[in-house]
Amino acid sequence: MKIQPLTPVIGAEISDLDLCNLNDESFNDLRDAFTKHSVLFFRDQPAMSPIDQVAFAKRFGPLHTHPAAPTLAEQEEVFVIHAHKDSKVANGNGWHTDVSCDEEPPLATMLQLHLLPDAGGDTLFASMYAAFETLSETMQNFLLTLEAHHESEHVYRGRYSDRGVEDAAKIYPRALHPVVRTHPDSKRRALYVNPSFTTRIEGLAKQESNALLAMLYQHQQRPEFQVRFNWSPNAIALWDNRCTHHFAMWDYWPAERKGHRVTIKGERPYLAPPEEMAAAPAHLRLSRQL
Ligand code: SIN
């Protein structure tokens, strides 16, 4: 397996690996690369059947069920990503971390796109480790004391009505999560707020919360924390929702873009005590904004 880092901060392209036939040793190497680079891209794979995609994703752990999205009738773990000329919304068209409104948000997401527009439809991913590690120590210490509300009714209500998904009786998940979370494998700390689901920081006045979140969103969208993926047919992205956020650009209307997404179940976000924290790798320490 070849690993080609795409930036020093986030993202690597993996080649010479057959995801449908991975032995345990190759899977462990892949997992290490995933922990190191936070998002992996694969271009040399065939279109995976839903069964194969689900089987591969399950090697990371049990799968997560999306609270609102349209799924494949024959394989309900598969969320169909589809935007076309009649779409009212395109999934992921705004910075977010997948389903952060769940008590146990997904650990990772795997997306294979089969149909692409001639141009556009890129996905941007950004490192939430880099976002946290480049804040001043004073701000870091303040954020470590905070929790934030993540809600979903404003995102999901009616969202998939054009795709035949009835949502009137649904319960819209909401959760309170630490503003900074520890990654269970790397032991690094990552910022964990996003403009799609995070609605308020607990304990702050509304205007304090709005101002702090606005500053954090602007900071975490800095281009040097990002990698931008230009899809090719059947390319796959596998991203870690515990330390990244992403933005799927809907700049290709009225063209069509379609694929299959599977998410792996995660654990409740937590912040470990300082003695369990790993420092940022030296070569990844980006300059602070002072
Ligand atoms: C998503 O946020 O899951 C969609 C990503 C994409 O379509 O590129």
Side-chain angles (χ1 to χ4, degrees), residues 60-202:
F60 287 84
L63 299 190
H64 171 269
T65 306
H66 197 283
T71 57
L72 273 187
E74 71 275 21
Q75 194 82 45
E76 62 174 17
E77 299 98 328
V78 176
F79 171 178
V80 183
I81 296 286
H82 194 190
H84 50 81
K85 69 177 177 28
D86 298 321
S87 296
K88 285 201 240 155
V89 289
N91 212 78
N93 183 31
W95 284 107
H96 67 288
T97 303
D98 289 332
V99 204
S100 69
C101 52
D102 262 0
E103 295 272 346
E104 294 180 333
L107 174 162
T109 304
M110 174 193 191
L111 174 64
Q112 182 170 49
L113 288 183
H114 307 121
L115 184 65
L116 293 170
D118 288 342
D122 292 357
T123 308
L124 286 71
F125 298 87
S127 168
M128 294 295 237
Y129 292 137
F132 180 68
E133 289 160 359
T134 52
L135 290 166
S136 67
E137 224 172 290
T138 307
M139 178 56 73
Q140 288 184 357
N141 287 333
F142 178 48
L143 297 178
L144 291 174
T145 65
L146 300 176
E147 293 181 307
H149 295 275
H150 296 242
E151 298 179 71
S152 61
E153 184 164 357
H154 63 287
V155 180
Y156 294 141
R157 184 178 279 282
R159 184 179 183 89
Y160 299 107
S161 56
D162 59 339
R163 295 175 64 180
V165 179
E166 182 50 67
D167 66 351
K170 271 205 194 316
I171 294 168
Y172 299 95
R174 53 196 301 167
L176 187 65
H177 294 311
V179 164
V180 181
R181 67 182 292 184
T182 303
H183 191 290
D185 300 325
S186 71
K187 307 292 182 213
R188 288 169 72 191
R189 290 169 168 179
L191 201 51
Y192 195 64
V193 288
N194 67 85
S196 298
F197 295 108
T198 311
T199 49
R200 185 161 180 166
I201 297 188
E202 173 66 16

